[in-house]
Coordinates of all heavy atoms in Angstrom, one line a residue:
E166 N -83.7 -117.5 -45.8 CA -84.6 -118.4 -46.5 C -84.5 -119.8 -45.8 O -85.6 -120.4 -45.6 CB -84.2 -118.6 -47.9 CG -84.6 -117.3 -48.8 CD -84.2 -117.5 -50.2 OE1 -83.9 -118.6 -50.7 OE2 -84.2 -116.5 -50.9
R167 N -83.4 -120.2 -45.4 CA -83.2 -121.5 -44.7 C -83.9 -121.5 -43.4 O -84.7 -122.4 -43.0 CB -81.7 -121.8 -44.5 CG -81.5 -123.2 -43.9 CD -80.0 -123.5 -43.8 NE -79.6 -123.0 -42.5 CZ -78.3 -122.9 -42.2 NH1 -77.3 -123.1 -43.1 NH2 -77.9 -122.4 -41.0
I168 N -83.8 -120.4 -42.6 CA -84.4 -120.3 -41.3 C -85.9 -120.3 -41.4 O -86.7 -121.0 -40.7 CB -83.9 -119.1 -40.5 CG1 -82.4 -119.2 -40.2 CG2 -84.8 -118.9 -39.2 CD1 -82.1 -120.3 -39.2
E169 N -86.4 -119.5 -42.4 CA -87.9 -119.4 -42.6 C -88.4 -120.8 -43.1 O -89.5 -121.2 -42.7 CB -88.2 -118.3 -43.6 CG -88.0 -116.9 -43.0 CD -88.2 -115.8 -44.0 OE1 -88.2 -116.1 -45.3 OE2 -88.2 -114.7 -43.6
A170 N -87.7 -121.5 -43.9 CA -88.1 -122.9 -44.3 C -88.2 -123.8 -43.1 O -89.1 -124.6 -43.0 CB -87.2 -123.4 -45.4
E171 N -87.2 -123.7 -42.2 CA -87.2 -124.6 -41.0 C -88.4 -124.2 -40.1 O -89.0 -125.1 -39.6 CB -85.8 -124.4 -40.3 CG -84.7 -125.0 -41.0 CD -83.3 -124.7 -40.3 OE1 -83.3 -124.1 -39.2 OE2 -82.3 -125.1 -40.9
I172 N -88.7 -123.0 -40.0 CA -89.8 -122.5 -39.2 C -91.1 -123.1 -39.8 O -92.0 -123.6 -39.1 CB -89.9 -121.0 -39.1 CG1 -88.7 -120.5 -38.2 CG2 -91.2 -120.5 -38.5 CD1 -88.5 -119.0 -38.2
E173 N -91.2 -123.0 -41.1 CA -92.4 -123.5 -41.8 C -92.5 -125.0 -41.7 O -93.6 -125.5 -41.4 CB -92.3 -123.1 -43.3 CG -93.6 -123.4 -44.1 CD -94.8 -122.6 -43.6 OE1 -94.6 -121.4 -43.1 OE2 -95.9 -123.1 -43.6
V174 N -91.4 -125.7 -41.8 CA -91.5 -127.2 -41.6 C -91.9 -127.5 -40.2 O -92.7 -128.4 -39.9 CB -90.1 -127.8 -41.9 CG1 -90.0 -129.2 -41.4 CG2 -89.8 -127.8 -43.4
G175 N -91.4 -126.8 -39.2 CA -91.8 -127.0 -37.8 C -93.3 -126.8 -37.6 O -94.0 -127.5 -36.9
K176 N -93.9 -125.7 -38.3 CA -95.3 -125.5 -38.2 C -96.1 -126.6 -38.8 O -97.1 -127.0 -38.2 CB -95.6 -124.1 -38.9 CG -95.2 -122.9 -38.2 CD -95.6 -121.7 -39.0 CE -95.1 -120.4 -38.3 NZ -95.4 -119.2 -39.2
L177 N -95.6 -127.1 -39.9 CA -96.3 -128.2 -40.6 C -96.3 -129.4 -39.8 O -97.3 -130.2 -39.7 CB -95.7 -128.4 -42.0 CG -96.0 -127.3 -43.0 CD1 -95.2 -127.6 -44.3 CD2 -97.5 -127.2 -43.4
E178 N -95.2 -129.7 -39.1 CA -95.0 -130.9 -38.3 C -96.0 -130.8 -37.1 O -96.6 -131.8 -36.7 CB -93.6 -131.0 -37.8 CG -92.7 -131.5 -38.9 CD -91.2 -131.6 -38.5 OE1 -90.9 -131.1 -37.4 OE2 -90.4 -132.1 -39.2
Q179 N -96.2 -129.6 -36.5 CA -97.1 -129.4 -35.4 C -98.5 -129.7 -35.8 O -99.3 -130.2 -35.1 CB -96.9 -128.0 -34.8 CG -95.7 -127.9 -34.0 CD -95.5 -126.5 -33.3 OE1 -96.3 -125.6 -33.7 NE2 -94.6 -126.3 -32.5
Q180 N -98.8 -129.3 -37.0 CA -100.2 -129.4 -37.5 C -100.5 -130.9 -37.8 O -101.5 -131.4 -37.6 CB -100.4 -128.7 -38.8 CG -100.5 -127.2 -38.6 CD -100.6 -126.4 -40.0 OE1 -100.7 -127.0 -41.0 NE2 -100.6 -125.1 -39.9

Side-chain angles (χ1 to χ4, degrees):
E166 289 180 15
R167 184 176 89 195
I168 297 291
E169 288 174 348
E171 290 172 6
I172 291 170
E173 190 61 33
V174 166
K176 286 180 186 177
L177 291 173
E178 286 175 352
Q179 283 181 352
Q180 290 177 359

